[in-house]
């Protein structure tokens, strides 16, 4: 088992290992367990047996749970179960369910203790660390939320064995991204045949990928500086998700977006890291994209939260582990988009 510390005003630990769900202990007497409807039933049963929650609340699968309507129902169930101020909410499942559960914990009785049990690779590497919780609005994703750090995060690697192979490879995008922006030793390890459920290097690679985000979050709790680097590859990724109406999954979009960011990095004078991003795409095998034009995608990139009045800002790399934030001229964006399309078409 590995343990990673996340610092800040309210420090907590992230534990990574096998069989964690059956060994849970929390000091709070009364707990509410929240999990999505499509979770393999043995996970909820294992947690129920080890934690004895006061109430178990099932929510819709994936992003369908991240709505104000579902949140309202969850809050009513917490109240009906008389979860007290010194009780706790435990979120079990993928990133969407744990985002919702965290926001329920942040808002119920002005905030109760929260524990996260992510069961997907994406949830473990990305969503579970950082304290961001929230729901979507019809107007956009994550428009309502709060910073509400958990008391603890438990990443039980046994849960990854139930993921379809494509979902596991999709989620690896964030781990690979942490390799590019901070820990190049991860690049080879993520693409290794041993990085798979039950594989020999899964626990250590996963823990080191989580440690990158934990370090960034510890140093930059309010997202003023270094935390922006975690958005490497995400400007195009968010645009691809939006322009396709979220037909593209987040991890696939990040895989595509990292290659675009590597092309931009090279065009702006940085080292050529495209062999790395192409190797990842070849390994990840993201689902193919529909035909897209630069003019269709550009307005969505300009709407990304890293855009300001003077243009679209990108996280780029001078070299491995050397990220920086810069504005990129539109002609460079357009030129790299053409190269990206050619490469992505070939990768399909
Ligand atoms: Zn992401």
């Amino acid at each position: 088992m590995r343990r990673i510390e996340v610092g800040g005003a309210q420090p907590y630990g992230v534990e990574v290992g096998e069989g964690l769900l059956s060994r849970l202990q929390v000091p709070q007497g009364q707990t509410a367990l929240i999990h999505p409807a499509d979770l393999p039933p043995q996970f909820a049963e294992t947690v129920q047996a080890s934690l004895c929650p006061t109430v178990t609340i099932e929510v819709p699968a994936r992003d369908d749970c991240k709505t104000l309507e579902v949140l309202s129902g969850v809050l009513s169930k917490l109240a009906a179960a008389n979860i007290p101020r010194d009780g706790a909410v435990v979120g079990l499942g993928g990133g969407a369910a744990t985002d919702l559960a965290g926001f329920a914990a942040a808002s119920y009785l002005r905030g109760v203790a929260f524990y996260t049990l992510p069961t997907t690779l994406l949830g473990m590497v990305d969503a579970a660390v950082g304290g961001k919780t929230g729901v979507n609005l019809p107007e956009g994703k994550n428009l309502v939320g709060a910073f509400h750090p958990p008391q603890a995060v438990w990443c039980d690697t046994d849960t990854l064995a139930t993921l379809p192979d494509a979902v596991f490879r999709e989620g690896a995008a964030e781990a690979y991204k942490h390799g590019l922006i901070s820990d190049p030793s991860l690049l080879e390890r993520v693409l290794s045949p041993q990085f798979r459920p039950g594989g020999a290097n899964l626990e250590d690679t996963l823990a080191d990928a989580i440690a990158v985000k934990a370090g960034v979050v510890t140093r930059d709790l309010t997202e003023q500086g270094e935390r922006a680097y975690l958005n490497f590859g995400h400007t195009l990724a968010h645009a691809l998700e939006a322009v396709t109406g979220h037909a593209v999954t987040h991890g696939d979009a990040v895989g595509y977006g990292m290659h675009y960011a590597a092309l931009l990095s090279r065009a702006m004078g940085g080292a050529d890291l495209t062999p790395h991003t192409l190797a990842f795409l070849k390994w990840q095998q993201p689902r193919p994209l529909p035909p897209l034009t630069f003019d269709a995608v550009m307005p969505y990139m300009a709407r990304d939260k890293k855009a300001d009045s003077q243009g679209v800002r990108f996280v780029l790399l001078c070299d491995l582990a050397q990220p920086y934030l810069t504005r990129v001229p539109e002609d460079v964006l357009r030129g790299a988009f053409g190269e990206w399309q050619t490469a992505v078409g070939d990768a399909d």
Side-chain angles (χ1 to χ4, degrees):
M1 208 216 21
R2 289 271 308 269
R3 183 182 164 89
I4 301 127
E5 301 297 331
V6 185
Q10 188 201 318
Y12 58 95
V14 181
E15 295 188 0
V16 182
E18 296 171 353
L20 296 180
L21 294 189
S22 59
R23 302 199 297 268
L24 299 175
Q25 279 188 322
V26 305
Q28 287 79 13
Q30 299 212 48
T31 57
L33 173 64
I34 298 176
H35 71 81
D38 64 341
L39 190 79
Q42 68 269 26
F43 297 162
E45 285 159 17
T46 305
V47 173
Q48 281 165 335
S50 70
L51 209 58
C52 301
T54 311
V55 60
T56 297
I57 303 169
E58 197 175 281
V59 296
R62 291 173 291 279
D63 260 27
D64 289 346
C65 75
K66 283 183 67 170
T67 69
L68 289 173
E69 291 73 25
V70 173
L71 175 71
S72 168
V74 167
L75 294 173
S76 290
K77 284 175 183 154
L78 294 175
N82 289 315
I83 299 297
R85 176 70 188 85
D86 60 0
V89 168
V90 179
L92 169 70
T98 56
D99 279 1
L100 166 80
F103 191 46
S107 46
Y108 177 69
L109 300 179
R110 298 190 194 88
V112 297
F114 175 51
Y115 295 87
T116 319
L117 312 175
T119 57
T120 64
L121 189 55
L122 203 66
M124 291 178 186
V125 176
D126 198 31
V129 178
K132 283 188 190 175
T133 70
V135 297
N136 303 327
L137 293 181
E139 289 77 13
K141 290 189 85 177
N142 297 317
L143 291 184
V144 182
F147 276 102
H148 191 63
Q151 308 288 307
V153 179
W154 290 294
C155 301
D156 186 335
T157 53
D158 291 342
T159 62
L160 299 176
T162 60
L163 291 182
D165 189 44
V167 178
F168 182 83
R169 280 186 277 111
E170 184 219 327
E174 304 281 358
Y176 201 77
K177 177 198 75 185
H178 292 177
L180 289 168
I181 65 167
S182 178
D183 180 356
S185 81
L186 285 169
L187 301 178
E188 207 175 308
R189 293 152 71 198
V190 167
L191 301 189
S192 141
Q194 287 308 315
F195 187 66
R196 57 174 167 77
N201 84 5
L202 179 71
E203 183 178 304
D204 275 331
T205 305
L206 189 53
D208 288 342
I210 293 169
V212 169
K213 182 160 184 187
V216 169
V217 165
T218 298
R219 293 186 292 271
D220 182 10
L221 279 173
T222 52
E223 207 161 343
Q224 297 305 303
E226 193 185 350
R227 195 158 169 165
Y229 299 153
L230 295 169
N231 284 318
F232 180 76
H234 278 59
T235 307
L236 179 64
H238 289 150
L240 293 176
E241 291 175 272
V243 78
T244 62
H246 295 275
V248 181
T249 61
H250 184 66
D252 282 359
V254 172
Y256 285 126
M258 289 193 295
H259 185 55
Y260 185 57
L263 287 164
L264 290 177
S265 298
R266 187 178 68 185
M268 296 292 282
D272 183 8
L273 303 176
T274 60
H276 292 290
T277 50
L278 279 177
F280 180 74
L281 278 174
K282 195 165 172 240
W283 177 87
Q284 186 189 32
Q285 296 169 19
R287 280 141 281 203
L289 292 168
L292 295 166
T293 64
F294 178 75
D295 293 314
V297 172
M298 179 60 196
Y300 289 96
M301 291 204 283
R303 212 177 296 169
D304 190 78
K305 63 188 170 186
K306 287 180 297 308
D308 61 22
S309 56
Q310 287 156 62
V312 184
R313 290 202 299 167
F314 270 82
V315 179
L316 300 182
L317 292 165
C318 294
D319 206 339
L320 287 178
Q322 291 176 30
Y324 67 106
L325 201 55
T326 188
R327 288 195 183 80
V328 182
E330 186 168 330
D331 60 318
V332 178
L333 294 178
R334 188 181 290 274
F337 193 84
E339 286 183 83
W340 172 82
Q341 275 195 310
T342 306
V344 161
D346 290 348
D348 285 347

